[in-house]
Amino acid sequence: MLKTALRNVLAHKARLMMTTLAVLLGVAFVSGTLVFTSTVSEAFQRSSEEGLTNVDVAVQPDDDSDAAEETPGDAANLRQELLDQVTALPGVASATGRVSGFAALADKDGDLVGAGWDTSGANYYAGTGTGGDAERYPMTEGRAPERAGEIALDATTADRADYQVGDTARVSVDGPVREETITGIFTTDDGTVAAGGSLLLFDTATAQELYTAPGEYTQIMLEAAEGTTQQELKDAVTPLLPADAEAITGRQLATDQAAEIEQATSGLRTTMLAFAGISLFVGIFIIANTFTMLVAQRTRELALLRAVGATRRQVTRSVLIEALAVGVVAGVTGFAAGIGIAVGLRSLMTSFDMTIPDGPLIISAPAVLASLVVGVVVTMLAAYLPARRAAKIPPVAAMSSVHSGPTARGLVVRNTIGALFSAAGAVLVVAGTGADDNGATMGLGAGLLVIGVFVLTPLLSRPVIAAASPLLRVFGVSGRLARLNAVRNPRRTAATASALMIGLTLITGITVIADSMSKSIDNMATSSLRSDYVVSLASFGPLSPEVERTLAEQPEVTAITGLRMSPALVADDPDTMNLVGVNGESIDELTSLDFTAGSFENLSGQNVVVDTDTAEDQGWRLGSTFPVTYEDGATGELTVSGLYEGNLMISGIMLDNGTLAPHMQRVEDVQVMLRTENGASDATKERLEQVLGDNPAVLVQDKDDISEDIAYMFTLLLNLVYGLLAMAVIVAVLGVINTLAMSVFERRQEIGMLRAIGLERRSTKRMVRLEAVVIALFGGVLGVALGTFFGWAVGEMLAGFIADFELVLPWTRMVIFLVLAGLVGVLAALWPARRAAKLNMLEAIKAD
Amino acid sequence: MSPSAPSTAYAAKATDLTKVYGEGETRVVALDHVSVEFRQSEFTAIMGPSGSGKSTLMHCMAGLDSVSGGSARIGDTELTGLSDKKLTKLRRDRIGFIFQAFNLLPTLNAIENIRLPMDIAGRKPDTAWLDTVITTVGLADRLKHRPAQLSGGQQQRVAVARALAGQPDIIFGDEPTGNLDSRAGAEILGFLRNSVRELGQTVVMVTHDPVAASYADRVVFLADGRVVDDMAEPTAERVLEHMKRFDAGGRTS
């Protein structure tokens, strides 16, 4: 039987090719993901380890310590005295204080270098030991910064922005622009830089001024003297530390970083594997369909085997061995293709300025194993039912030319099951829109509905395709024959269309949800804003209050507020809550919030306004008072003077900055909102930007800019998802190609006859093409319909959480999806149609 | 012109028709300078042992296969050198076909199958003629049936009706009764003969069955790619006799 099975694989290699390709793509996706993520993870691990070579113990503020918990603020920075003390410890070879934070650098055109979130600044220190390898930031050119107004720049960034030693660069840390002279260019193995970020170095005093306070550090790095272990050093240091600081061994630090990197990449891996799973799931349909067709074509052959004495089990096994062979081939080649994908992804990321540190390609044993297992298991699983069906072929079928296919009764049972599943699914999905169970009901319903529709597709194929007949009539005989051929084998058509349906359901559903979310968030962002402009940092990090002061001085600015966040303990709630500081005098002009009681009017002193949800949680009403512990540990009492309807953008306890500022460790704004005399205009915006020194790090955004930003974010997300789902669609296309190729093969006599009695090549091609388009559109219509329904359902559910939720049905996009589905059909038909047209008539009509 | 008397005008004509398959050692001469004419309103049977080239002759004459040399004409139209498109059009408009099997599209019912060549051409069928044809083959009450709901004989009757429906210049049949039992076969052959005698059609049929050949007005015998005999007014006995003789001659030569 093994020999028979393997011969069959070889005999049908052309027909199995599409199947193999479908599995191969899925496997490639899986192995590509695994190889890529472990390569990235390994590369980052390596670079982070390199950064820690000379660190035996690190001392840093500990926000989670008991001492830090007592006050709501962050743990205090490390003081110079501590650095001096630990330096003097026996067993310490060297101790270095570090200060670091956000630093934006403008290139020569004034544009921000790199993306906002990975541009950092730190203090320069020579490094431990003497020169050589131990030097932390070896200067390739120039010298280290020594005083305010001097900086050093990492070589990659200098190269990218075309800066040289002696140039003046514009830099911003928290808002105001600083003109700095570049005194040196250095190389570094710093992780952020390796990942494509930029690093600016200041002298320590300047860095402290910018990021902490004079004499304060964010981290102290210790190197042990010879003969002292990391643990000994840690034990020696710990007694000297304040309560809210901790000492960590270099080894621990490395492990922690490794875990962090692993966590970051595992998120990516899970997401990508989910999409790989989708395309594999689609692949299952293709495989099952192919084997069903192969078994049907071989009915006589298999019956003959049965007639000469093969048992059912042997027949099943022979089909499964075929599947195994396909699975192994697909697994091995898919794995090879996956490595290609991993390499491709890496260079793709580099071309998007998301540099990944150099490192070898990591091909782990689990990745190899996973590829093979996925390939084999998926294929054999999908081939199981066709294999069972093959075994049921009666030996007598070898004698008769027609073996009756699945009976009508089978379809009745199938349709009943399908209808029940679909109905139950739809009901659950609708019920899920109101259920408060994080979408569990809806998820279950969606699953049932999808299965139900799968089961029902053969039944649905006739009416849906019949609906298309007026369109097909335009194409004359080709159109009519295409329609009839498409409904000829409803199960096959259904399986082919279902494969496409899955991809389109997801694509449409996600588009509906994303568009609706985008619109709703936009509604919220803009409807609650009355300010003309919002000023924030490109990194959305803290903004110096100087920005607000500068802007407030401008004559056209009529109202302005800085928005500040400060953690605090409120009433007897054990969790810290953010107090939102605003300018109590002007906030009313800058926002439009619905007050259920009170107003912004008396927002000064100890008065606060609270969103209704928080108020309800705490049991506050207008006039309620509650105790508060500020981030500096000071306590006070606040009075509720207004209750407003909060939303995702604005919520929480709001009070006047005058009250809040004295308690903040560092007075910083999250953003600044302002109104101008003549409203938003290009001229005003330009002027405001100019006032802020044309600062690359600062964003001045009007409502349209904010809307655009939100829309852009969702577009980016959608495009990413489209890209990932494209794989599932490609697999579905392979399925359409396969079905058509097999259909053409099975109908070669018919096609030969048609050609003989006068059907032109062109019309023959058109017939096959139209059949493909009909099948693809059938899948498309089902997918778009299901996707829209799911999108609506999720939207209804979200509407319960988001006040301004607005369902957006992207009609244009849906039409585009359907057109694309049609194109998929045309594309998939290219090769089968050519084959049909080129068929040798004489071969085809020869009676077998 | 009386429909019962064969005319002298040619519906199709082969002159020095040669068909060679393969090259070098595998070279096979299927047709070796065959010259033969098929007269209008005549029922001709082409006979010969397997490999004699009878099917090849039919395929070449019907524009289904290309020729290696010589000439093949349908009426005044020379087939050699015609593009695939022109050949297709010619088959569609001027030739009718009846094959041994796979004559009908399973997705279309009987009447749709009958009208298929005209639908492909985008022509309106001549209703009166269509009625005559349908009545002749006795399918009036089966028109809405799908091929799967018809017997083998009924299916071939649909095929005959389809071949006749477009009033082609010539109808080619490739073993049209090969898959039928003798009673159904006789029926089909009767229809073909009637269509020649009563409707004035021209039919050329390839067969290896002497009984089938006896329905024809004339039998052309082929052997080794050459026309070896031409018999008028055949009867089954004479054809059989002829074949035996020929077989014997073949063996001794």
Side-chain angles (χ1 to χ4, degrees), chain A residues 581-659:
Chain A
V582 294
N583 182 348
E585 277 169 29
S586 58
I587 185 70
D588 196 24
E589 285 176 68
L590 296 163
T591 56
S592 85
L593 294 170
D594 290 334
F595 275 84
T596 56
S599 67
F600 274 129
E601 208 159 312
N602 294 310
L603 194 59
S604 62
Q606 306 311 309
N607 287 341
V608 297
V609 293
V610 182
D611 68 286
T612 46
D613 289 343
T614 309
E616 200 178 313
D617 286 348
Q618 304 287 347
W620 296 335
R621 274 175 299 176
L622 194 63
S624 297
T625 56
F626 58 88
V628 61
T629 309
Y630 295 105
E631 64 173 300
D632 61 351
T635 56
E637 190 133 294
L638 297 171
T639 307
V640 177
S641 67
L643 294 169
Y644 66 91
E645 298 276 1
N647 59 39
L648 283 189
M649 311 299 281
I650 302 180
S651 66
I653 304 166
M654 232 184 268
L655 70 170
D656 187 52
N657 274 335
T659 315

Side-chain angles (χ1 to χ4, degrees), chain A residues 105-388:
Chain A
L105 172 73
D107 63 15
K108 287 181 173 170
D109 297 328
D111 293 327
L112 188 64
V113 178
W117 58 84
D118 54 8
T119 56
S120 55
N123 62 323
Y124 170 82
Y125 55 93
T128 55
T130 44
D133 287 347
E135 201 176 351
R136 189 71 185 93
Y137 302 114
M139 294 289 157
T140 52
E141 274 176 74
R143 57 167 178 82
E146 285 167 1
R147 58 186 69 82
E150 291 182 354
I151 56 164
L153 204 55
D154 74 86
T156 329
T157 307
D159 195 39
R160 192 160 13 147
D162 196 22
Y163 276 128
Q164 267 126 32
V165 171
D167 284 348
T168 305
R170 279 150 24 94
V171 171
S172 181
V173 168
D174 58 356
V177 169
R178 309 167 57 90
E179 301 264 333
E180 310 272 2
T181 309
I182 299 169
T183 58
I185 288 168
F186 61 90
T187 56
T188 177
D189 49 24
D190 182 276
T192 342
V193 176
S198 64
L199 180 62
L200 295 183
L201 294 179
F202 304 92
D203 66 283
T204 302
T206 310
Q208 284 174 334
E209 196 183 303
L210 289 173
Y211 297 119
T212 54
E216 284 187 7
Y217 296 96
T218 49
Q219 209 178 22
I220 293 174
M221 306 289 207
L222 299 176
E223 196 179 351
E226 221 163 303
T228 311
T229 65
Q230 291 195 344
Q231 190 57 44
E232 283 166 3
L233 188 62
K234 180 186 165 184
D235 292 342
V237 169
T238 307
L240 297 174
L241 300 181
D244 55 356
E246 59 178 345
I248 303 167
T249 62
R251 211 167 293 122
Q252 183 61 41
L253 212 55
T255 318
D256 289 354
Q257 284 193 6
E260 251 170 63
I261 291 165
E262 176 54 31
Q263 205 186 353
T265 42
S266 81
L268 178 70
R269 181 162 51 225
T270 313
T271 313
M272 285 175 71
L273 284 180
F275 283 97
I278 292 167
S279 58
L280 278 168
F281 183 64
V282 173
I284 287 182
F285 281 77
I286 312 301
I287 303 160
N289 212 17
T290 310
F291 276 92
T292 306
M293 287 189 265
L294 282 179
V295 167
Q297 282 174 14
R298 290 215 307 263
T299 300
R300 273 196 192 190
E301 199 179 308
L302 292 167
L304 187 69
L305 280 176
R306 294 273 286 122
V308 299
T311 62
R312 285 192 171 197
R313 187 187 292 237
Q314 278 174 312
V315 171
T316 304
R317 209 183 297 152
S318 85
V319 175
L320 284 180
I321 289 170
E322 256 183 272
L324 177 73
V326 169
V328 169
V329 171
V332 171
T333 44
F335 181 70
I339 294 174
I341 288 179
V343 173
L345 272 179
R346 192 153 121 174
S347 45
L348 189 75
M349 292 193 94
T350 313
S351 72
F352 278 120
D353 268 355
M354 291 181 280
T355 318
I356 295 157
D358 287 335
L361 212 55
I362 305 302
I363 299 165
S364 61
V368 180
L369 207 68
S371 309
L372 273 174
V373 168
V374 163
V376 169
V377 168
V378 163
T379 318
M380 291 190 64
L381 207 69
Y384 182 69
L385 277 182
R388 282 280 305 271

Side-chain angles (χ1 to χ4, degrees), chain A residues 655-670:
Chain A
L655 70 170
D656 187 52
N657 274 335
T659 315
L660 187 62
H663 301 293
M664 291 176 76
Q665 282 169 324
R666 262 180 93 81
V667 177
E668 292 159 336
D669 290 321
V670 176

Side-chain angles (χ1 to χ4, degrees), chain A residues 477 480 488 749 753 755-756, chain B residues 65 91 97 102-103 106 119:
Chain A
V477 180
R480 185 152 56 105
R488 194 155 162 182
Q749 280 160 321
M753 189 272 293
R755 292 270 294 122
Chain B
D65 206 350
R91 288 197 305 266
F97 285 101
F102 293 101
N103 270 299
D119 280 350

